[in-house]
Structures are given as structure tokens and as C-alpha cells.
Amino acid sequence: MNGPDIAAPEATEADDGPTRTHDGDGRPPSPDGASSGATPPPAPHAPHPPAESPFRQPKAVWAVAFACVISFMGIGLVDPILPALSSQLDATPSQVTLLFTSYLVVTAVAMLVTGWVSSRLGAKRTLVVGLVLIVVFSALAGATGSIDGIIGFRAGWGLGNALFIATSLAVIVGSASGGFAGAIVLYETALGVGIATGPLLGGLLGNVSWRGPFFGVAALMAVALAATSVLLPSTKATERRESLIEPLAALRHRALATTSVTGLLYNWGFFTMLGYAPFLMNLSAIQLGWVFFAWGLLVAVFAVFGAPALRGRFGTPRTLYGNLLFMAADLAVIGAFPDERWVVIGAVIAAGAFIGVNNTLVTTAVMSIAPVPRPVASATYGFVRFIGGGLAPFAAGKLVEHYNAHVPFVLGAVSVTAGAVLLATVHRSLDEADKTA
């Protein structure tokens, strides 16, 4: 964004690097910029200043981050009420999983136009439009009385979600203190908190009525809308107007395309679990809420703390290979024992660790290796990966109807394994991204 209050998110990684304070030989530079030939007198050792915390941010960034938390609640919010919707609205599991499909497929397709809209309206107006759509359509979903109505209103919710998610990432990256890495940590923290609390809120409200979670999100998003409107400074349309074809054209870059397809394959496994595992547990709404709350806590902890630690020790590519293979094994366990409630519960909770690591490292890698502006890279990656997330739950329901509960989870394990193999073809690009981060 080129508005006065938001730094351009397409800045190169060099913009985030530390200020050069020494010459190549370790001595302070002379006033004219050249190294001094004489040996300077010894100077007391000055420790490096501590890295700025990603959690010390302007109020505007916190307002957007809070809205991100509520937005990400919507991903897992409906999980605890899926069985209740199926029984109370006389719908099959595959029909109920369309709540994920309509939401995520529309989110994916709308990602292609978010940059076009934002570059003309400005970041703040785009965020406000997205938030308004989420408030309206989540309330309408709670007010309707049919599964078809909920599916349709979730699609409208997905449109608002796309406008909000893509723009909020650009705003946080451009406005947050602590540089690019700190902005990603803050964004992934918001994602983790939202994913963790969404199912718990859904379970608590769903224990009263299946309508409760939808009205709850509408109310919370209205608060986020007010905070964003008041605290985020006005932003202008950018001088550079993004075209509608840029996100698709970006797929000609091999590293970005490969990483995006890896995201699709990974999300196929992830949303197979998220969308269909609740039907295997035979738990009440509140019990499902607690299971997915524990899952979400692991997502948050490993996104914020686990991913950076593993990356520092093993590097991004090796960490992701191992992480994807562990995720595939986790799905395979569910596929092998879908009738064992406690096995399914344990595997779902454990998956939170792998999902947290993957979310942080792949998001950072995509933003680092893409040879296009970061908003374009975000839209391209979001479009491709959400297609996988949207189609997988519905496919899982149909596979169970035609075969059995083993098949979708085995297919998910195969899909995630294929993602690890595909990612290995851009190993060098991932290594280079680590060096410039």
C-alpha cells in the first residue's frame, strides 16, 4: 500500500534488514563512509540491542489483529455444530460439509480480485467492506432455517473473508513494528488464537442452539468493525493499480506455483480432518468445542514458538518435509482407526502442532520467494490453497457415503505426502529465502 499511513508491503527483504553499523572488518565506519586505516583505540563492548517484540504495536495494528482473530474464528466455529446441523436440519454429512466448501471456495476465487479492489479503494475501505459483509452474512446464516440457506450465506461470508484476510495481512506487514518476520509472527498469533477459540465459542454457543455461533460471530465482528473504523488511519488508493490477472499470471513463477500447489495438497488433508473428523467422535457440541480448542492451542503455540525454533535448527525446507510427513502419518492413523473415538481425538489434537508449524513457515516462504509484490503473492497462494481446503470436506463426505470412513483420510495422507515430495523440487529457493530472511 502506498498510502501515507501504511508502508508498501511489496518492499524487498532488504527493507527489513538491520541498519549497517560496522565496516566489513568489524570497525565502526569513519564519518566519510570509508574504513579508517589506523587501528582505533579499544572501545567498550556494546551489546546488540534486543530485537523489538512483535507484540509492541500501534493501536491500528492491534485493531486489525483483533479483527483477524474473529475472522479466523469462522474457520473452526462450525466444527462443533456439524453433527447437530445434520440431525436437526435433516441433512447428510456431505451436505453439512458444504458449509466449508461454499465458504472456502468463494474465499479462494475472491482472492483473485482482492488486490484489484484494494488498490482502488485503499486498504481501510477494503477492510471495512469485508467486515461489513462478514457481519451481515453471518447474521443471515444464523437467522435462516435451512441447510441450503446456511450454505448460501456462508458463501457471502467467504467473500467478505477474502477481502479482509488478504488486505489485513498486507496492512499488518506494512504497519507493524519489528519488520517482516515480526509481522508474520503477529499475524500467525492472531490466526492461532482465532482457530483455538473459534471451536470453543462454537461449542459453548452451539450447546444452546446451532444458531448461536453465527450470531456470536456477527456480534464480535461488529465490534472489530467499529475498532478498525476508529483506530485505523485512512488510506488512499495506491498509485500502482493491480490488474485482475496478476494473481493468476504470478503462477508462471515456478517457486510460487510449486509452493502454492503444495499448500493445496496440504490443505486437502487438513480440511478433510477439520470437516469430517467431528462426525467420527460422537461427542456433544461442547465436547467437540473442547477437543478443537486443545487442537487450536497447539496450532497457536507451534505457529508462534515451534516454527521459528525448528527453522533455526533445521532450516525451512527440512522442517517442512518432516512436518508434512508427520501430518500425513497423523491422517493415516485416523484412516486406519476411524471407529476408535479416542484415537481420532488424540490424532486431531496432535495435528495442531503440525498445522501451526506449516502455517508459519509456508506463509513466510511464499512471501519471501515470490518475485512479485507481496499482496499479489498472498492472493495467488490463498487462491490455490483454499481451493483444496474447500473441496476436501465435501469429497470426504461423498467418499464415506460411497465407500467407508477409511478412504478420505488415507487419501488425505497420500495428498500431504505428495505435497512434501513436490516441495522438495524448490529446495534451493527455500534455502535462499532462509538466507535473506
mmCIF file with all atom_site columns, all heavy atoms in Angstrom, residues 8 69 89 107 128 131 151 165 179 190 195 219 269 276 292 311 323 335-336 347 373 391 396 399 407 424-425:
data_model
loop_
_atom_site.group_PDB
_atom_site.id
_atom_site.type_symbol
_atom_site.label_atom_id
_atom_site.label_alt_id
_atom_site.label_comp_id
_atom_site.label_asym_id
_atom_site.label_entity_id
_atom_site.label_seq_id
_atom_site.pdbx_PDB_ins_code
_atom_site.Cartn_x
_atom_site.Cartn_y
_atom_site.Cartn_z
_atom_site.occupancy
_atom_site.B_iso_or_equiv
_atom_site.pdbx_formal_charge
_atom_site.auth_seq_id
_atom_site.auth_comp_id
_atom_site.auth_asym_id
_atom_site.auth_atom_id
_atom_site.pdbx_PDB_model_num
ATOM 1   N N   . ALA A 1 8   ? 4.724   0.373   2.044  1.00 0.00 ? 8   ALA A N   1
ATOM 2   C CA  . ALA A 1 8   ? 4.449   -0.509  0.915  1.00 0.00 ? 8   ALA A CA  1
ATOM 3   C C   . ALA A 1 8   ? 4.776   -1.936  1.258  1.00 0.00 ? 8   ALA A C   1
ATOM 4   O O   . ALA A 1 8   ? 5.905   -2.262  1.563  1.00 0.00 ? 8   ALA A O   1
ATOM 5   C CB  . ALA A 1 8   ? 5.285   -0.083  -0.293 1.00 0.00 ? 8   ALA A CB  1
ATOM 6   N N   . VAL A 1 69  ? -8.426  -12.191 14.535 1.00 0.00 ? 69  VAL A N   1
ATOM 7   C CA  . VAL A 1 69  ? -8.785  -13.259 15.468 1.00 0.00 ? 69  VAL A CA  1
ATOM 8   C C   . VAL A 1 69  ? -10.234 -13.685 15.242 1.00 0.00 ? 69  VAL A C   1
ATOM 9   O O   . VAL A 1 69  ? -10.548 -14.880 15.135 1.00 0.00 ? 69  VAL A O   1
ATOM 10  C CB  . VAL A 1 69  ? -8.580  -12.799 16.929 1.00 0.00 ? 69  VAL A CB  1
ATOM 11  C CG1 . VAL A 1 69  ? -9.185  -13.809 17.904 1.00 0.00 ? 69  VAL A CG1 1
ATOM 12  C CG2 . VAL A 1 69  ? -7.102  -12.611 17.224 1.00 0.00 ? 69  VAL A CG2 1
ATOM 13  N N   . LEU A 1 89  ? -31.419 -30.372 11.071 1.00 0.00 ? 89  LEU A N   1
ATOM 14  C CA  . LEU A 1 89  ? -31.886 -29.857 9.782  1.00 0.00 ? 89  LEU A CA  1
ATOM 15  C C   . LEU A 1 89  ? -32.066 -30.966 8.753  1.00 0.00 ? 89  LEU A C   1
ATOM 16  O O   . LEU A 1 89  ? -32.257 -30.687 7.563  1.00 0.00 ? 89  LEU A O   1
ATOM 17  C CB  . LEU A 1 89  ? -30.925 -28.793 9.253  1.00 0.00 ? 89  LEU A CB  1
ATOM 18  C CG  . LEU A 1 89  ? -30.766 -27.539 10.128 1.00 0.00 ? 89  LEU A CG  1
ATOM 19  C CD1 . LEU A 1 89  ? -29.812 -26.549 9.482  1.00 0.00 ? 89  LEU A CD1 1
ATOM 20  C CD2 . LEU A 1 89  ? -32.127 -26.880 10.377 1.00 0.00 ? 89  LEU A CD2 1
ATOM 21  N N   . THR A 1 107 ? -14.012 -17.895 -0.935 1.00 0.00 ? 107 THR A N   1
ATOM 22  C CA  . THR A 1 107 ? -12.833 -17.179 -0.437 1.00 0.00 ? 107 THR A CA  1
ATOM 23  C C   . THR A 1 107 ? -11.684 -17.291 -1.431 1.00 0.00 ? 107 THR A C   1
ATOM 24  O O   . THR A 1 107 ? -10.997 -16.301 -1.731 1.00 0.00 ? 107 THR A O   1
ATOM 25  C CB  . THR A 1 107 ? -12.395 -17.739 0.928  1.00 0.00 ? 107 THR A CB  1
ATOM 26  O OG1 . THR A 1 107 ? -13.419 -17.497 1.897  1.00 0.00 ? 107 THR A OG1 1
ATOM 27  C CG2 . THR A 1 107 ? -11.109 -17.083 1.406  1.00 0.00 ? 107 THR A CG2 1
ATOM 28  N N   . VAL A 1 128 ? -13.048 -2.515  5.721  1.00 0.00 ? 128 VAL A N   1
ATOM 29  C CA  . VAL A 1 128 ? -14.390 -2.200  6.233  1.00 0.00 ? 128 VAL A CA  1
ATOM 30  C C   . VAL A 1 128 ? -15.458 -2.925  5.415  1.00 0.00 ? 128 VAL A C   1
ATOM 31  O O   . VAL A 1 128 ? -16.401 -3.496  5.977  1.00 0.00 ? 128 VAL A O   1
ATOM 32  C CB  . VAL A 1 128 ? -14.620 -0.676  6.235  1.00 0.00 ? 128 VAL A CB  1
ATOM 33  C CG1 . VAL A 1 128 ? -16.089 -0.342  6.466  1.00 0.00 ? 128 VAL A CG1 1
ATOM 34  C CG2 . VAL A 1 128 ? -13.756 -0.014  7.300  1.00 0.00 ? 128 VAL A CG2 1
ATOM 35  N N   . LEU A 1 131 ? -15.425 -6.576  6.418  1.00 0.00 ? 131 LEU A N   1
ATOM 36  C CA  . LEU A 1 131 ? -16.010 -6.776  7.752  1.00 0.00 ? 131 LEU A CA  1
ATOM 37  C C   . LEU A 1 131 ? -17.528 -6.632  7.717  1.00 0.00 ? 131 LEU A C   1
ATOM 38  O O   . LEU A 1 131 ? -18.254 -7.395  8.374  1.00 0.00 ? 131 LEU A O   1
ATOM 39  C CB  . LEU A 1 131 ? -15.401 -5.791  8.741  1.00 0.00 ? 131 LEU A CB  1
ATOM 40  C CG  . LEU A 1 131 ? -13.934 -6.058  9.126  1.00 0.00 ? 131 LEU A CG  1
ATOM 41  C CD1 . LEU A 1 131 ? -13.346 -4.858  9.868  1.00 0.00 ? 131 LEU A CD1 1
ATOM 42  C CD2 . LEU A 1 131 ? -13.831 -7.302  9.984  1.00 0.00 ? 131 LEU A CD2 1
ATOM 43  N N   . ILE A 1 151 ? -25.645 -22.631 3.738  1.00 0.00 ? 151 ILE A N   1
ATOM 44  C CA  . ILE A 1 151 ? -24.577 -22.810 2.739  1.00 0.00 ? 151 ILE A CA  1
ATOM 45  C C   . ILE A 1 151 ? -24.435 -21.558 1.880  1.00 0.00 ? 151 ILE A C   1
ATOM 46  O O   . ILE A 1 151 ? -23.328 -21.077 1.616  1.00 0.00 ? 151 ILE A O   1
ATOM 47  C CB  . ILE A 1 151 ? -24.869 -24.046 1.872  1.00 0.00 ? 151 ILE A CB  1
ATOM 48  C CG1 . ILE A 1 151 ? -24.742 -25.324 2.712  1.00 0.00 ? 151 ILE A CG1 1
ATOM 49  C CG2 . ILE A 1 151 ? -23.930 -24.099 0.664  1.00 0.00 ? 151 ILE A CG2 1
ATOM 50  C CD1 . ILE A 1 151 ? -25.287 -26.562 2.023  1.00 0.00 ? 151 ILE A CD1 1
ATOM 51  N N   . ILE A 1 165 ? -9.049  -10.941 4.779  1.00 0.00 ? 165 ILE A N   1
ATOM 52  C CA  . ILE A 1 165 ? -7.815  -11.676 5.073  1.00 0.00 ? 165 ILE A CA  1
ATOM 53  C C   . ILE A 1 165 ? -6.646  -11.157 4.239  1.00 0.00 ? 165 ILE A C   1
ATOM 54  O O   . ILE A 1 165 ? -5.563  -10.870 4.765  1.00 0.00 ? 165 ILE A O   1
ATOM 55  C CB  . ILE A 1 165 ? -8.012  -13.185 4.839  1.00 0.00 ? 165 ILE A CB  1
ATOM 56  C CG1 . ILE A 1 165 ? -8.841  -13.792 5.978  1.00 0.00 ? 165 ILE A CG1 1
ATOM 57  C CG2 . ILE A 1 165 ? -6.668  -13.899 4.766  1.00 0.00 ? 165 ILE A CG2 1
ATOM 58  C CD1 . ILE A 1 165 ? -9.105  -15.274 5.813  1.00 0.00 ? 165 ILE A CD1 1
ATOM 59  N N   . GLY A 1 179 ? 9.572   -5.317  11.759 1.00 0.00 ? 179 GLY A N   1
ATOM 60  C CA  . GLY A 1 179 ? 9.924   -5.867  10.457 1.00 0.00 ? 179 GLY A CA  1
ATOM 61  C C   . GLY A 1 179 ? 8.984   -6.961  9.984  1.00 0.00 ? 179 GLY A C   1
ATOM 62  O O   . GLY A 1 179 ? 7.977   -7.289  10.608 1.00 0.00 ? 179 GLY A O   1
ATOM 63  N N   . ALA A 1 190 ? -2.524  -14.182 15.736 1.00 0.00 ? 190 ALA A N   1
ATOM 64  C CA  . ALA A 1 190 ? -3.962  -13.912 15.581 1.00 0.00 ? 190 ALA A CA  1
ATOM 65  C C   . ALA A 1 190 ? -4.672  -15.123 14.987 1.00 0.00 ? 190 ALA A C   1
ATOM 66  O O   . ALA A 1 190 ? -5.763  -15.498 15.432 1.00 0.00 ? 190 ALA A O   1
ATOM 67  C CB  . ALA A 1 190 ? -4.166  -12.683 14.698 1.00 0.00 ? 190 ALA A CB  1
ATOM 68  N N   . ILE A 1 195 ? -8.258  -19.617 15.656 1.00 0.00 ? 195 ILE A N   1
ATOM 69  C CA  . ILE A 1 195 ? -8.543  -21.027 15.401 1.00 0.00 ? 195 ILE A CA  1
ATOM 70  C C   . ILE A 1 195 ? -8.788  -21.774 16.710 1.00 0.00 ? 195 ILE A C   1
ATOM 71  O O   . ILE A 1 195 ? -9.617  -22.691 16.776 1.00 0.00 ? 195 ILE A O   1
ATOM 72  C CB  . ILE A 1 195 ? -7.389  -21.661 14.602 1.00 0.00 ? 195 ILE A CB  1
ATOM 73  C CG1 . ILE A 1 195 ? -7.484  -21.232 13.127 1.00 0.00 ? 195 ILE A CG1 1
ATOM 74  C CG2 . ILE A 1 195 ? -7.407  -23.169 14.696 1.00 0.00 ? 195 ILE A CG2 1
ATOM 75  C CD1 . ILE A 1 195 ? -6.414  -21.809 12.245 1.00 0.00 ? 195 ILE A CD1 1
ATOM 76  N N   . ALA A 1 219 ? -21.833 -10.513 16.143 1.00 0.00 ? 219 ALA A N   1
ATOM 77  C CA  . ALA A 1 219 ? -21.667 -9.512  17.202 1.00 0.00 ? 219 ALA A CA  1
ATOM 78  C C   . ALA A 1 219 ? -20.191 -9.148  17.381 1.00 0.00 ? 219 ALA A C   1
ATOM 79  O O   . ALA A 1 219 ? -19.834 -7.961  17.484 1.00 0.00 ? 219 ALA A O   1
ATOM 80  C CB  . ALA A 1 219 ? -22.247 -10.044 18.513 1.00 0.00 ? 219 ALA A CB  1
ATOM 81  N N   . GLY A 1 269 ? -5.592  -32.466 3.005  1.00 0.00 ? 269 GLY A N   1
ATOM 82  C CA  . GLY A 1 269 ? -5.540  -33.309 4.193  1.00 0.00 ? 269 GLY A CA  1
ATOM 83  C C   . GLY A 1 269 ? -6.057  -32.600 5.429  1.00 0.00 ? 269 GLY A C   1
ATOM 84  O O   . GLY A 1 269 ? -6.826  -33.168 6.219  1.00 0.00 ? 269 GLY A O   1
ATOM 85  N N   . TYR A 1 276 ? -14.499 -33.503 8.501  1.00 0.00 ? 276 TYR A N   1
ATOM 86  C CA  . TYR A 1 276 ? -15.207 -34.766 8.686  1.00 0.00 ? 276 TYR A CA  1
ATOM 87  C C   . TYR A 1 276 ? -14.914 -35.456 10.020 1.00 0.00 ? 276 TYR A C   1
ATOM 88  O O   . TYR A 1 276 ? -15.744 -36.241 10.500 1.00 0.00 ? 276 TYR A O   1
ATOM 89  C CB  . TYR A 1 276 ? -14.925 -35.751 7.546  1.00 0.00 ? 276 TYR A CB  1
ATOM 90  C CG  . TYR A 1 276 ? -16.040 -36.764 7.438  1.00 0.00 ? 276 TYR A CG  1
ATOM 91  C CD1 . TYR A 1 276 ? -17.196 -36.466 6.728  1.00 0.00 ? 276 TYR A CD1 1
ATOM 92  C CD2 . TYR A 1 276 ? -15.967 -37.989 8.100  1.00 0.00 ? 276 TYR A CD2 1
ATOM 93  C CE1 . TYR A 1 276 ? -18.251 -37.360 6.671  1.00 0.00 ? 276 TYR A CE1 1
ATOM 94  C CE2 . TYR A 1 276 ? -17.019 -38.898 8.047  1.00 0.00 ? 276 TYR A CE2 1
ATOM 95  C CZ  . TYR A 1 276 ? -18.158 -38.571 7.332  1.00 0.00 ? 276 TYR A CZ  1
ATOM 96  O OH  . TYR A 1 276 ? -19.214 -39.443 7.291  1.00 0.00 ? 276 TYR A OH  1
ATOM 97  N N   . PHE A 1 292 ? -11.425 -29.335 19.892 1.00 0.00 ? 292 PHE A N   1
ATOM 98  C CA  . PHE A 1 292 ? -10.822 -28.459 18.897 1.00 0.00 ? 292 PHE A CA  1
ATOM 99  C C   . PHE A 1 292 ? -10.179 -27.229 19.533 1.00 0.00 ? 292 PHE A C   1
ATOM 100 O O   . PHE A 1 292 ? -9.323  -26.583 18.915 1.00 0.00 ? 292 PHE A O   1
ATOM 101 C CB  . PHE A 1 292 ? -11.853 -28.076 17.834 1.00 0.00 ? 292 PHE A CB  1
ATOM 102 C CG  . PHE A 1 292 ? -12.052 -29.156 16.809 1.00 0.00 ? 292 PHE A CG  1
ATOM 103 C CD1 . PHE A 1 292 ? -13.096 -30.067 16.931 1.00 0.00 ? 292 PHE A CD1 1
ATOM 104 C CD2 . PHE A 1 292 ? -11.172 -29.307 15.752 1.00 0.00 ? 292 PHE A CD2 1
ATOM 105 C CE1 . PHE A 1 292 ? -13.268 -31.074 16.007 1.00 0.00 ? 292 PHE A CE1 1
ATOM 106 C CE2 . PHE A 1 292 ? -11.329 -30.311 14.818 1.00 0.00 ? 292 PHE A CE2 1
ATOM 107 C CZ  . PHE A 1 292 ? -12.381 -31.204 14.946 1.00 0.00 ? 292 PHE A CZ  1
ATOM 108 N N   . ARG A 1 311 ? 12.858  -23.907 12.498 1.00 0.00 ? 311 ARG A N   1
ATOM 109 C CA  . ARG A 1 311 ? 13.501  -23.303 11.335 1.00 0.00 ? 311 ARG A CA  1
ATOM 110 C C   . ARG A 1 311 ? 14.942  -22.922 11.643 1.00 0.00 ? 311 ARG A C   1
ATOM 111 O O   . ARG A 1 311 ? 15.844  -23.128 10.823 1.00 0.00 ? 311 ARG A O   1
ATOM 112 C CB  . ARG A 1 311 ? 12.719  -22.067 10.901 1.00 0.00 ? 311 ARG A CB  1
ATOM 113 C CG  . ARG A 1 311 ? 13.354  -21.319 9.739  1.00 0.00 ? 311 ARG A CG  1
ATOM 114 C CD  . ARG A 1 311 ? 12.664  -19.998 9.513  1.00 0.00 ? 311 ARG A CD  1
ATOM 115 N NE  . ARG A 1 311 ? 13.308  -19.245 8.463  1.00 0.00 ? 311 ARG A NE  1
ATOM 116 C CZ  . ARG A 1 311 ? 13.015  -17.987 8.182  1.00 0.00 ? 311 ARG A CZ  1
ATOM 117 N NH1 . ARG A 1 311 ? 12.093  -17.353 8.869  1.00 0.00 ? 311 ARG A NH1 1
ATOM 118 N NH2 . ARG A 1 311 ? 13.646  -17.361 7.219  1.00 0.00 ? 311 ARG A NH2 1
ATOM 119 N N   . ASN A 1 323 ? 7.679   -32.068 8.759  1.00 0.00 ? 323 ASN A N   1
ATOM 120 C CA  . ASN A 1 323 ? 6.370   -31.690 9.279  1.00 0.00 ? 323 ASN A CA  1
ATOM 121 C C   . ASN A 1 323 ? 5.240   -32.263 8.427  1.00 0.00 ? 323 ASN A C   1
ATOM 122 O O   . ASN A 1 323 ? 4.240   -32.779 8.954  1.00 0.00 ? 323 ASN A O   1
ATOM 123 C CB  . ASN A 1 323 ? 6.281   -30.160 9.324  1.00 0.00 ? 323 ASN A CB  1
ATOM 124 C CG  . ASN A 1 323 ? 5.078   -29.677 10.090 1.00 0.00 ? 323 ASN A CG  1
ATOM 125 O OD1 . ASN A 1 323 ? 4.994   -29.844 11.295 1.00 0.00 ? 323 ASN A OD1 1
ATOM 126 N ND2 . ASN A 1 323 ? 4.134   -29.071 9.393  1.00 0.00 ? 323 ASN A ND2 1
ATOM 127 N N   . GLY A 1 335 ? -7.253  -42.688 9.400  1.00 0.00 ? 335 GLY A N   1
ATOM 128 C CA  . GLY A 1 335 ? -7.764  -43.565 8.358  1.00 0.00 ? 335 GLY A CA  1
ATOM 129 C C   . GLY A 1 335 ? -7.744  -45.024 8.749  1.00 0.00 ? 335 GLY A C   1
ATOM 130 O O   . GLY A 1 335 ? -8.607  -45.808 8.327  1.00 0.00 ? 335 GLY A O   1
ATOM 131 N N   . ALA A 1 336 ? -6.781  -45.411 9.566  1.00 0.00 ? 336 ALA A N   1
ATOM 132 C CA  . ALA A 1 336 ? -6.683  -46.813 9.990  1.00 0.00 ? 336 ALA A CA  1
ATOM 133 C C   . ALA A 1 336 ? -7.669  -47.154 11.098 1.00 0.00 ? 336 ALA A C   1
ATOM 134 O O   . ALA A 1 336 ? -8.147  -48.289 11.188 1.00 0.00 ? 336 ALA A O   1
ATOM 135 C CB  . ALA A 1 336 ? -5.261  -47.119 10.442 1.00 0.00 ? 336 ALA A CB  1
ATOM 136 N N   . ALA A 1 347 ? -5.437  -37.981 17.613 1.00 0.00 ? 347 ALA A N   1
ATOM 137 C CA  . ALA A 1 347 ? -4.800  -37.614 16.348 1.00 0.00 ? 347 ALA A CA  1
ATOM 138 C C   . ALA A 1 347 ? -5.181  -36.203 15.919 1.00 0.00 ? 347 ALA A C   1
ATOM 139 O O   . ALA A 1 347 ? -4.354  -35.449 15.395 1.00 0.00 ? 347 ALA A O   1
ATOM 140 C CB  . ALA A 1 347 ? -5.183  -38.626 15.265 1.00 0.00 ? 347 ALA A CB  1
ATOM 141 N N   . PRO A 1 373 ? 4.989   -8.553  -6.082 1.00 0.00 ? 373 PRO A N   1
ATOM 142 C CA  . PRO A 1 373 ? 4.632   -7.840  -4.845 1.00 0.00 ? 373 PRO A CA  1
ATOM 143 C C   . PRO A 1 373 ? 3.932   -8.768  -3.851 1.00 0.00 ? 373 PRO A C   1
ATOM 144 O O   . PRO A 1 373 ? 3.198   -9.679  -4.244 1.00 0.00 ? 373 PRO A O   1
ATOM 145 C CB  . PRO A 1 373 ? 3.693   -6.732  -5.342 1.00 0.00 ? 373 PRO A CB  1
ATOM 146 C CG  . PRO A 1 373 ? 4.119   -6.492  -6.755 1.00 0.00 ? 373 PRO A CG  1
ATOM 147 C CD  . PRO A 1 373 ? 4.514   -7.839  -7.286 1.00 0.00 ? 373 PRO A CD  1
ATOM 148 N N   . LEU A 1 391 ? -12.751 -28.000 -1.291 1.00 0.00 ? 391 LEU A N   1
ATOM 149 C CA  . LEU A 1 391 ? -13.276 -29.209 -1.920 1.00 0.00 ? 391 LEU A CA  1
ATOM 150 C C   . LEU A 1 391 ? -13.131 -30.448 -1.041 1.00 0.00 ? 391 LEU A C   1
ATOM 151 O O   . LEU A 1 391 ? -13.931 -31.378 -1.139 1.00 0.00 ? 391 LEU A O   1
ATOM 152 C CB  . LEU A 1 391 ? -12.574 -29.442 -3.267 1.00 0.00 ? 391 LEU A CB  1
ATOM 153 C CG  . LEU A 1 391 ? -12.785 -28.360 -4.328 1.00 0.00 ? 391 LEU A CG  1
ATOM 154 C CD1 . LEU A 1 391 ? -12.006 -28.722 -5.597 1.00 0.00 ? 391 LEU A CD1 1
ATOM 155 C CD2 . LEU A 1 391 ? -14.270 -28.194 -4.654 1.00 0.00 ? 391 LEU A CD2 1
ATOM 156 N N   . ALA A 1 396 ? -14.783 -35.714 1.177  1.00 0.00 ? 396 ALA A N   1
ATOM 157 C CA  . ALA A 1 396 ? -14.711 -36.687 2.269  1.00 0.00 ? 396 ALA A CA  1
ATOM 158 C C   . ALA A 1 396 ? -16.091 -37.265 2.566  1.00 0.00 ? 396 ALA A C   1
ATOM 159 O O   . ALA A 1 396 ? -16.245 -38.483 2.746  1.00 0.00 ? 396 ALA A O   1
ATOM 160 C CB  . ALA A 1 396 ? -14.132 -36.023 3.519  1.00 0.00 ? 396 ALA A CB  1
ATOM 161 N N   . LEU A 1 399 ? -17.053 -39.673 -0.220 1.00 0.00 ? 399 LEU A N   1
ATOM 162 C CA  . LEU A 1 399 ? -16.267 -40.905 -0.179 1.00 0.00 ? 399 LEU A CA  1
ATOM 163 C C   . LEU A 1 399 ? -16.762 -41.836 0.936  1.00 0.00 ? 399 LEU A C   1
ATOM 164 O O   . LEU A 1 399 ? -16.791 -43.065 0.760  1.00 0.00 ? 399 LEU A O   1
ATOM 165 C CB  . LEU A 1 399 ? -14.786 -40.580 0.023  1.00 0.00 ? 399 LEU A CB  1
ATOM 166 C CG  . LEU A 1 399 ? -14.070 -39.973 -1.186 1.00 0.00 ? 399 LEU A CG  1
ATOM 167 C CD1 . LEU A 1 399 ? -12.691 -39.462 -0.797 1.00 0.00 ? 399 LEU A CD1 1
ATOM 168 C CD2 . LEU A 1 399 ? -13.962 -40.993 -2.322 1.00 0.00 ? 399 LEU A CD2 1
ATOM 169 N N   . VAL A 1 407 ? -11.371 -44.259 3.690  1.00 0.00 ? 407 VAL A N   1
ATOM 170 C CA  . VAL A 1 407 ? -10.882 -43.762 2.396  1.00 0.00 ? 407 VAL A CA  1
ATOM 171 C C   . VAL A 1 407 ? -10.478 -42.289 2.417  1.00 0.00 ? 407 VAL A C   1
ATOM 172 O O   . VAL A 1 407 ? -9.387  -41.936 1.957  1.00 0.00 ? 407 VAL A O   1
ATOM 173 C CB  . VAL A 1 407 ? -11.916 -44.041 1.287  1.00 0.00 ? 407 VAL A CB  1
ATOM 174 C CG1 . VAL A 1 407 ? -11.459 -43.430 -0.039 1.00 0.00 ? 407 VAL A CG1 1
ATOM 175 C CG2 . VAL A 1 407 ? -12.133 -45.540 1.133  1.00 0.00 ? 407 VAL A CG2 1
ATOM 176 N N   . ALA A 1 424 ? 10.016  -30.505 -2.375 1.00 0.00 ? 424 ALA A N   1
ATOM 177 C CA  . ALA A 1 424 ? 11.457  -30.775 -2.487 1.00 0.00 ? 424 ALA A CA  1
ATOM 178 C C   . ALA A 1 424 ? 12.032  -30.266 -3.809 1.00 0.00 ? 424 ALA A C   1
ATOM 179 O O   . ALA A 1 424 ? 13.242  -30.047 -3.918 1.00 0.00 ? 424 ALA A O   1
ATOM 180 C CB  . ALA A 1 424 ? 11.727  -32.268 -2.338 1.00 0.00 ? 424 ALA A CB  1
ATOM 181 N N   . THR A 1 425 ? 11.179  -30.037 -4.806 1.00 0.00 ? 425 THR A N   1
ATOM 182 C CA  . THR A 1 425 ? 11.672  -29.566 -6.106 1.00 0.00 ? 425 THR A CA  1
ATOM 183 C C   . THR A 1 425 ? 12.059  -28.084 -6.079 1.00 0.00 ? 425 THR A C   1
ATOM 184 O O   . THR A 1 425 ? 12.663  -27.596 -7.037 1.00 0.00 ? 425 THR A O   1
ATOM 185 C CB  . THR A 1 425 ? 10.623  -29.800 -7.204 1.00 0.00 ? 425 THR A CB  1
ATOM 186 O OG1 . THR A 1 425 ? 9.454   -29.008 -6.944 1.00 0.00 ? 425 THR A OG1 1
ATOM 187 C CG2 . THR A 1 425 ? 10.231  -31.272 -7.278 1.00 0.00 ? 425 THR A CG2 1
#
